[in-house]
Amino acid sequence: MFHLSQMDQIFLKSLADVVRTSRTTSQYDKLTFTTQTIADIKNELQSRQESVRYQALLKLFFLAMEGNNIRWAEFQIINLMGSGDFQLKLGAQLAAHLVIDNQSQGLIMVTNVFIKEFKSSHIECSSTLSCLGTIANKDLSDSLLSHVLKLTTNTKPLIRKKAIAVLSKIFTINPLNIPGNLEMVIQQLQKETNISVLACGISLFCSIMKVAPKLYPLFLSIVYDQISKQKSNWLLIKLVRISNKLISLEPRFQGKLIEHYTRLLNQTNSKSLQYELIYSIMRHFKNHSQLYESAGDILKQFLNHQDPNLRCLGLECLTHISTSVGLMEFQEQILESFKKSDYFSKLQILQLFKDFTNQNNFQTVIEFFLKYSDMESNDKIIESLIFIITKDKFINVDDPEKLLLVYIPIIAQKIDSIDNAIRFKELLFELLTRVPGLKVYSDQLCNQILQTYATQSDSLQGPTLNIVKRHTQLKYSLNHREIIFKSLIMIVGESVKLLKLEALTNIIKFLEQLNILNCYESSLSDIDSLLFKIYIQIIKSDPENQIIPQMEQLIKNIYTKLHNISIVKISFFYESLIQIKSRDQLQQLYNLFEEDLPPINLEAQKLIKPPEGLDINKSFQIDISEIEKIKNTNSDYIEQKQLIQQQQQIEQNQGEQQDQNSEIQIKVENEEELKPLNNKIDQNANKIFIINRDEELPPGINQDDINKFKEEE
Amino acid sequence: MIRFILLQNRQGKTRLSKWYVYYDDAEKVKLQNEVHRLIVCRDTKHTNFLEFRNYKIIYKRYAGLFFALCVDVSDNELTMLELIHLYVEVLDKYFGNVCELDIVFNFNKAYSILDEMIVGGEIVETSKQVIINAVKNIELLD
């Protein structure tokens, strides 16, 4: 310890100097400044003059607030907490929470300091209690409990209220301290008249309810007593809050509160008290119609209020209405409030409707949210709407046709995220699986949605693939439009058999006309598959061969753009094979492979020398009788195999037909509505597939074979 | 229960912080940054409450300063807003037309006032006069 001379004191920096210097120092010089200041503080803390040490303490506090570590000063600060000078003591107590924590080794010293301070004047005791309230931990609480309890009987209300507030923390940290000590506090509070002390007492009871709720009978009477006579809003708010918790533990308490709640609800203008009352009434007083109605009226005021805070709190109260009938009463106000709300309030409202939408308000809810979605909340709105639609296997949906044709296209237009696109896809699949009669509308749905995509310019500019660079590797992921496009294509493909000829041709024209192929590159295999299915269906549905040539041309145009003509050739060729039922046509093909393989061409052997001993002019087929035997066995096998395959094909067709009939019977209502619109399923599947393009004939077949076949037909 | 109180300016500089629950130093810095980031971008049409981890942040802006309280989910939001306003009124009465610089240069006084209103995370006094009197009594002893 040293004594600063008068000269030195002139150059001593005060707190204000340090603050000014810190604000004006540049970032680069900050470290130098801080280091210098800390060095000065270390010296000043050892001074004998209290004013110097006080200034040093405040400067230290300031440096800690700037983000510097001052834990090295723990011992000095604890030492100053026990100082004789009140100013120093106070400064040290304010700074204590910066250096003392649960793991501090100086906590043992602090206990004795506090015990000594509790015996001082009421102002010093009060500041010590404030400090204890901030730094209390388990060890400190256990050591000081008895001293704090004594302070609850102090003559000064300042000390009593702070002592009770500290007790609240002590009991929370170590609930084992409650039994035996709580009764003493309750006895004090029963005689208490000061509102602040009573309020601290109620806070104490709230803290005890969190850690030891079964002790509620000890303070039930005091809470009831206070709620019947208190007028202070701060205290009433705490009383109503604790009553709310008590009602869940003791339902009989509810009856006693009706009269007081009614009185408070009618008399008070304080919004915070009204909110607390409404919150409690909505949760626990549903059976008391008069009180519930009064609370409902005030709740409506909250929902219509200009202040967004009150609207948000009104919505919070509504979450406690557990029935959709109850919520319907407030539906209009909630929807009005949605228009003015911020993002978080909108999420609250969406959650409410996710839980409480039913068949009665389904259409209203869907139409409203589709109309009032904005950029910020669009994603969440769509997610909620999809949830509402699919909830409990479409329990809210009473008109699936309207859903599919009116709401779903609008939802598809508003989707702008991959997650929602995937949800939308699952919604569509599930809806069409559960309501198979709707599949006839799949072309309409497809056209409606894709038409919108086509008219929006960005869908025609460049691909719809998102290129995502991850770890220096380029990875491609589908965007939301592509996901929806793929799902629509798949649905149409699955529903091809139910669609009219006109619808099918429109789809092909649509795909060809709008140049979608350039945009949806990763869906080309799906488009190929769809075109294939449509083409087969058209062949079945057009026995007079009126539109097949036109369709073939359109499909050819599409494939020309795709540069996949080889796929067309092969796929058309094999499809024609499957469709051909006559053995003779197949026999022609067998003839291809029946004849002996020709010997190796001499020209081919110019470059590759045949192995020694091999006579290239000799036939491979040495044992003719063996070959004949194999051939006969094979031909029987082939014949039987063909018969088996034909039988299987017939059985499969019959099975499909039965499945379709049973699906139609299950959804009787949909069938009755959709009967006039449904296609007749074409039973006659024996359409012959004709290739009329010479240049596209595969090797081994010539035009004469085809002409011969046609004549036979 | 109040878990912590923060006074921050628009640049994210913390002028006052009081912690009623134990957090280590790194966690405190992280919390301050997180809270500032959440509240600085909100405008007047947003509510003054928002969810933060398993708690709530109730904040109010006065000129260039944000007063933010982190409280338990069960606490009354409007009460906390009132408390913030009460604190500002007390500061205003004490300093006379309070501004940010008053808090910068007299932070110890601001902490003293706060300690008269909140102890251990619980509100102990709501009367402006009682709070001012308590602070003046402390000054007499200084």
Side-chain angles (χ1 to χ4, degrees):
Chain A
M1 283 245 184
F2 60 91
H3 191 91
L4 277 173
S5 66
Q6 275 189 333
M7 214 50 183
D8 290 333
Q9 282 182 44
I10 292 166
F11 295 103
L12 202 65
K13 282 187 192 159
S14 68
L15 170 66
D17 295 328
V18 167
V19 173
R20 265 187 230 110
T21 315
S22 170
R23 284 163 66 83
T24 52
T25 308
S26 70
Q27 218 172 347
Y28 303 104
D29 298 329
K30 208 98 177 181
L31 186 61
T32 319
F33 161 75
T34 311
T35 317
Q36 182 61 47
T37 311
I38 288 176
D40 292 340
I41 288 168
K42 279 181 181 170
N43 280 334
E44 287 161 21
L45 279 173
Q46 291 174 17
S47 163
R48 273 189 204 156
Q49 284 153 300
E50 274 117 8
S51 58
V52 171
R53 282 196 285 172
Y54 179 63
Q55 285 296 317
L57 191 62
L58 289 181
K59 283 186 277 187
L60 195 64
F61 199 162
F62 175 75
L63 288 178
M65 280 169 56
E66 291 285 291
N68 297 293
N69 183 9
I70 61 162
R71 289 198 185 265
W72 51 267
E74 183 182 329
F75 178 76
Q76 282 97 326
I77 289 174
I78 293 172
N79 212 16
L80 288 172
M81 280 167 71
S83 162
D85 182 62
F86 177 69
Q87 197 182 44
L88 265 176
K89 221 180 327 200
L90 185 66
Q93 284 169 353
L94 286 175
H97 74 278
L98 297 167
V99 294
I100 298 172
D101 58 30
N102 291 351
Q103 278 85 41
S104 288
Q105 290 170 4
L107 276 173
I108 304 163
M109 291 169 54
V110 167
T111 316
N112 290 330
V113 167
F114 279 157
I115 292 170
K116 185 187 136 203
E117 291 307 318
F118 285 153
K119 293 170 188 163
S120 310
S121 71
H122 69 277
I123 294 171
E124 289 170 28
C125 183
S126 154
S127 63
T128 309
L129 280 168
S130 300
C131 179
L132 178 58
T134 314
I135 64 170
N137 69 351
K138 191 172 180 305
D139 294 329
L140 211 54
S141 310
D142 293 343
S143 318
L144 295 170
L145 174 64
S146 53
H147 301 278
V148 175
L149 275 168
K150 269 188 209 161
L151 291 172
T152 59
T153 56
N154 196 288
T155 52
K156 298 279 181 190
L158 175 68
I159 305 296
R160 291 202 302 275
K161 72 184 181 191
K162 287 196 178 185
I164 292 174
V166 170
L167 266 181
S168 172
K169 186 150 186 182
I170 290 173
F171 287 160
T172 312
I173 290 169
N174 191 2
L176 295 173
N177 287 328
I178 301 174
N181 296 316
L182 179 62
E183 290 85 353
M184 191 179 131
V185 177
I186 292 172
Q187 272 175 16
Q188 294 297 324
L189 287 170
Q190 277 168 344
K191 295 177 260 176
E192 188 60 62
T193 51
N194 187 292
I195 290 172
S196 305
V197 180
L198 283 168
C200 291
I202 303 298
S203 301
L204 169 69
F205 298 151
C206 285
S207 309
I208 291 171
M209 291 283 285
K210 287 179 197 169
V211 295
K214 288 183 182 169
L215 293 173
Y216 76 89
L218 292 172
F219 43 80
L220 194 63
S221 60
I222 197 173
V223 169
Y224 179 71
D225 198 36
Q226 291 302 321
I227 207 170
S228 48
K229 60 185 182 188
Q230 277 303 332
K231 289 187 172 34
S232 161
N233 283 337
W234 287 93
L235 184 49
L236 281 168
I237 289 166
K238 290 190 183 193
L239 286 165
V240 172
R241 185 145 26 102
I242 195 172
S243 303
N244 199 21
K245 291 178 188 175
L246 288 170
I247 290 170
S248 14
L249 292 167
E250 181 55 76
R252 290 173 294 181
F253 191 48
Q254 186 186 11
K256 290 189 174 286
L257 290 172
I258 294 171
E259 182 200 332
H260 299 296
Y261 274 20
T262 312
R263 174 179 54 85
L264 288 171
L265 207 57
N266 293 333
Q267 285 175 3
T268 188
N269 290 326
S270 160
K271 291 285 180 230
S272 31
L273 183 54
Q274 280 179 347
Y275 166 64
E276 204 68 51
L277 285 165
I278 295 167
Y279 189 90
S280 184
I281 292 167
M282 286 291 148
R283 240 181 127 178
H284 297 294
F285 290 82
K286 291 185 189 94
N287 297 330
H288 300 89
S289 55
Q290 209 175 350
L291 184 61
Y292 193 78
E293 263 177 47
S294 312
D297 292 336
I298 295 177
L299 184 54
K300 283 177 187 169
Q301 287 174 22
F302 270 56
L303 291 169
N304 285 332
H305 209 276
Q306 283 182 351
D307 187 350
N309 294 326
L310 294 180
R311 288 202 301 271
C312 174
L313 293 176
L315 293 168
E316 188 73 38
C317 287
L318 284 174
T319 55
H320 295 292
I321 297 174
S322 56
T323 62
S324 53
V325 169
L327 189 75
M328 290 280 277
E329 255 184 75
F330 302 98
Q331 184 173 288
E332 205 184 302
Q333 283 84 6
I334 299 169
L335 294 177
E336 265 314 302
S337 140
F338 184 87
K339 293 179 199 172
K340 300 177 246 180
S341 296
D342 69 332
Y343 179 69
F344 291 104
S345 302
K346 283 183 178 171
L347 292 186
Q348 261 183 306
I349 294 172
L350 286 170
Q351 186 58 46
L352 272 174
F353 280 104
K354 269 165 96 167
D355 295 334
F356 297 122
T357 304
N358 56 24
Q359 273 198 9
N360 297 331
N361 65 350
F362 175 74
Q363 283 194 18
T364 318
V365 166
I366 293 253
E367 282 167 14
F368 179 87
F369 286 124
L370 286 175
K371 193 177 171 189
Y372 288 103
S373 69
D374 57 13
M375 270 181 67
E376 195 185 23
S377 55
N378 183 58
D379 205 46
K380 287 289 175 190
I381 289 175
I382 298 296
E383 185 191 334
S384 304
L385 286 177
I386 293 174
F387 178 88
I388 290 169
I389 292 168
T390 54
K391 188 177 169 188
D392 284 339
K393 299 169 192 172
F394 300 92
I395 199 166
N396 296 326
V397 178
D398 57 349
D399 188 353
E401 192 182 338
K402 190 174 181 184
L403 173 67
L404 189 74
L405 295 177
V406 177
Y407 299 132
I408 283 180
I410 302 172
I411 292 173
Q413 282 169 35
K414 288 185 179 284
I415 289 174
D416 56 6
S417 73
I418 292 172
D419 292 336
N420 276 342
I422 293 170
R423 287 186 193 106
F424 180 78
K425 182 181 89 172
E426 286 164 7
L427 157 70
L428 271 183
F429 288 164
E430 206 183 333
L431 180 66
L432 293 171
T433 310
R434 292 187 183 282
V435 190
L438 289 177
K439 281 185 183 171
V440 291
Y441 293 126
S442 56
D443 66 306
Q444 235 175 302
L445 179 71
C446 187
N447 278 340
Q448 258 180 299
I449 295 174
L450 295 181
Q451 194 72 44
T452 323
Y453 283 2
T455 53
Q456 287 167 4
S457 57
D458 62 359
S459 68
L460 293 178
Q461 286 169 6
T464 55
L465 290 174
N466 288 329
I467 299 172
V468 177
K469 198 169 180 184
R470 283 180 195 157
H471 306 298
T472 71
Q473 280 183 340
L474 288 176
K475 290 192 179 176
Y476 294 87
S477 66
L478 302 176
N479 79 355
H480 59 278
R481 289 238 173 102
E482 186 98 39
I483 293 171
I484 294 174
F485 180 80
K486 269 179 174 291
S487 53
L488 288 170
I489 294 295
M490 200 187 298
I491 287 165
V492 173
E494 292 297 312
S495 320
V496 147
K497 287 181 185 171
L498 301 172
L499 297 176
K500 284 184 185 170
L501 215 59
E502 198 186 325
L504 296 172
T505 51
N506 283 340
I507 289 170
I508 298 181
K509 281 179 187 171
F510 180 83
L511 287 173
E512 197 267 340
Q513 191 180 7
L514 291 170
N515 219 11
I516 276 174
L517 306 167
N518 284 335
C519 288
Y520 298 102
E521 280 183 42
S522 64
S523 304
L524 293 179
S525 60
D526 301 280
I527 293 171
D528 182 31
S529 163
L530 172 65
L531 288 172
F532 202 70
K533 288 178 186 171
I534 290 175
Y535 188 72
I536 301 308
Q537 186 59 27
I538 287 172
I539 289 167
K540 289 178 187 174
S541 315
D542 182 23
E544 291 155 22
N545 207 16
Q546 285 174 342
I547 60 164
I548 289 172
Q550 189 192 356
M551 289 302 106
E552 283 178 357
Q553 186 56 45
L554 279 174
I555 293 173
K556 194 181 167 186
N557 290 345
I558 293 172
Y559 279 119
T560 307
K561 289 168 190 168
L562 288 176
H563 307 291
N564 273 339
I565 293 171
S566 59
I567 297 173
V568 173
K569 269 200 296 192
I570 295 165
S571 57
F572 280 4
F573 174 65
Y574 283 108
E575 182 60 28
S576 71
L577 283 183
I578 293 162
Q579 295 303 316
I580 291 167
K581 299 296 178 185
S582 159
R583 280 186 64 188
D584 293 340
Q585 280 94 39
L586 282 174
Q587 194 62 41
Q588 284 181 358
L589 284 176
Y590 299 149
N591 294 336
L592 270 178
F593 302 102
E594 278 294 305
E595 62 191 25
D596 292 345
L597 288 170
I600 298 163
N601 196 319
L602 278 171
E603 288 294 312
Q605 292 305 306
K606 273 181 185 171
L607 295 172
I608 302 166
K609 195 179 172 185
E612 284 179 13
L614 180 68
D615 183 4
I616 60 173
N617 291 320
K618 201 177 171 186
S619 169
F620 280 100
Q621 292 150 2
I622 300 163
D623 189 350
I624 303 288
S625 61
E626 189 69 34
I627 298 296
E628 283 294 317
K629 209 199 256 179
I630 293 167
K631 208 164 70 173
N632 289 335
T633 325
N634 278 348
S635 63
D636 288 339
Y637 171 72
I638 287 165
E639 202 179 291
Q640 281 183 12
K641 191 177 174 187
Q642 198 187 7
L643 282 171
I644 291 165
Q645 278 178 353
Q646 279 177 2
Q647 192 64 33
Q648 281 175 352
Q649 189 68 29
I650 292 164
E651 280 170 15
Q652 198 182 349
N653 288 341
Q654 283 173 357
E656 276 177 14
Q657 195 57 43
Q658 276 174 5
D659 286 342
Q660 281 179 2
N661 289 338
S662 62
E663 277 172 11
I664 290 164
Q665 275 170 6
I666 287 164
K667 288 278 175 177
V668 172
E669 286 175 10
N670 284 319
E671 276 304 300
E672 281 174 2
E673 282 177 27
L674 297 169
K675 244 183 194 169
L677 305 168
N678 264 344
N679 262 341
K680 285 181 189 174
I681 296 161
D682 194 353
Q683 299 294 328
N684 187 12
N686 287 330
K687 179 66 190 172
I688 293 159
F689 179 76
I690 300 166
I691 302 171
N692 196 18
R693 288 162 287 179
D694 295 346
E695 71 280 9
E696 289 176 40
L697 288 174
I701 287 203
N702 56 34
Q703 191 60 40
D704 293 336
D705 294 331
I706 299 293
N707 291 339
K708 198 177 169 186
F709 167 72
K710 274 184 185 172
E711 281 163 9
E712 283 169 4
E713 271 294 297
Chain B
M1 180 195 163
I2 299 168
R3 299 184 71 81
F4 58 83
I5 299 173
L6 294 174
L7 247 82
Q8 295 173 309
N9 63 11
R10 274 182 297 177
Q11 285 75 39
K13 189 98 174 138
T14 304
R15 293 300 181 203
L16 193 148
S17 64
K18 191 83 178 184
W19 308 85
Y20 297 103
V21 173
Y22 172 69
Y23 293 104
D24 61 37
D25 293 339
E27 185 69 17
K28 281 180 186 174
V29 171
K30 196 175 164 193
L31 281 168
Q32 284 169 52
N33 291 336
E34 236 177 277
V35 167
H36 175 74
R37 196 173 36 83
L38 281 172
I39 62 180
V40 81
C41 53
R42 290 170 72 86
D43 68 19
T44 49
K45 65 177 186 195
H46 287 117
T47 57
N48 290 91
F49 338 119
L50 48 111
E51 286 173 14
F52 176 71
R53 301 188 182 182
N54 293 331
Y55 309 105
K56 280 190 285 206
I57 297 282
I58 292 130
Y59 76 96
K60 206 162 180 189
R61 183 177 172 178
Y62 289 89
L65 274 179
F66 290 93
F67 290 71
L69 268 62
C70 178
V71 301
D72 292 338
V73 176
S74 56
D75 283 343
N76 187 320
E77 293 91 334
L78 294 175
T79 313
M80 294 302 154
L81 270 179
E82 279 296 320
L83 182 69
I84 293 172
H85 191 69
L86 176 68
Y87 184 50
V88 171
E89 281 189 334
V90 171
L91 285 173
D92 192 47
K93 193 164 182 182
Y94 183 80
F95 289 109
N97 210 17
V98 69
C99 63
E100 189 177 340
L101 278 177
D102 289 324
I103 298 172
V104 171
F105 284 96
N106 299 291
F107 57 85
N108 50 326
K109 304 285 184 200
Y111 275 109
S112 291
I113 293 170
L114 197 59
D115 281 347
E116 292 306 316
M117 293 172 66
I118 303 169
V119 172
E122 300 290 345
I123 303 169
V124 294
E125 189 53 63
T126 54
S127 164
K128 215 173 6 179
Q129 201 51 55
V130 171
I131 297 165
I132 300 274
N133 288 344
V135 175
K136 284 190 173 156
N137 286 340
I138 289 171
E139 277 182 356
L140 286 172
L141 272 188
D142 277 352

